[in-house]
């Protein structure tokens, strides 16, 4: 995969990472700290630039998730188990949106993905619709206090325990989503558009959101019942 131009890093990657970190913080119920998110975004964007130049396509996404996890954990001070979920879920949402929006834009512009990557200007501004949708979703969830996991935005006394079984179930679902999304991106990169994979990504993402949301609700109820018994 080719080197990402510096202009694309500044005008696209950094804004993308800002939204991604903001979304991750939002879904685990924490407050957005724009200063730390901005610093984390700069770090991630430049690491991503190096990965795209040196690491095979697809693998760079996996390493990128690890980088996100570390920054969510160490810089944003989110508990490790929540940092894992925040990093995985935020990447899944981004890839999901790209899966839906990018083909529409490419068809409208009558260009291929390979041609897009060769044109830095188009590479930047044609990616903005995806970022706009992602930012809008993040703003809506944050402003309405919608989250997957309760955090300090609910209460400073929120129970932050998450047993290994719950974490295992959540990670299996999220890793499957990342795997599907990476396969989809790889097929697009090879010029082998796959409607079946895109449809599978959409179905998987929507169903996993509903499942995880219900799963968290059930777990919260069980915790409440156990507290009442004691």
């Amino acid at each position: 995969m080719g080197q990402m131009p510096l202009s694309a890093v500044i005008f696209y990657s950094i804004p993308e990472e800002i939204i991604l970190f903001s979304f991750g913080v939002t879904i685990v119920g924490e407050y957005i700290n724009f200063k730390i998110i901005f610093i984390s975004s700069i770090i991630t964007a430049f690491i991503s630039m190096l990965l795209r130049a040196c690491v095979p396509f697809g693998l760079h996404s996996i390493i990128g998730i690890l980088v996100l996890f570390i920054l969510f954990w160490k810089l944003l001070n989110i508990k490790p188990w929540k940092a894992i979920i925040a990093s995985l879920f935020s990447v899944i949402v981004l890839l999901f949106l790209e899966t839906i929006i990018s083909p529409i834009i490419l068809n409208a512009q009558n260009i291929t993905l390979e041609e897009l990557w060769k044109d830095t200007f188009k590479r930047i501004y044609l990616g903005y619709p995806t970022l706009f949708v992602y930012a809008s979703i993040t703003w809506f969830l944050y402003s309405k206090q919608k989250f997957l996991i309760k955090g300090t935005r609910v209460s400073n006394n929120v129970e932050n325990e998450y047993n290994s079984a719950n974490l295992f179930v959540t990670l299996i679902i999220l890793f499957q989503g990342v795997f599907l999304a990476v396969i989809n991106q790889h097929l697009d990169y090879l010029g082998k558009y796959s409607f079946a994979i895109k449809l599978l990504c959409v179905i998987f993402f929507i169903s996993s959101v509903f499942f995880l949301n219900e799963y968290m609700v059930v777990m919260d109820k069980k915790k409440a019942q156990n507290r009442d018994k004691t």
Side-chain angles (χ1 to χ4, degrees), residues 13 31 70 82 129 135 185 206 209 220 226-227:
S13 293
Y31 288 99
I70 293 172
K82 294 177 77 173
Q185 276 203 330
I206 294 174
V209 169
D220 285 342
N226 291 334
R227 284 195 296 267

Side-chain angles (χ1 to χ4, degrees), residues 50-62:
L50 295 175
L51 290 175
R52 287 172 180 269
C54 306
V55 178
F57 188 82
L59 181 59
H60 80 283
S61 297
I62 298 173

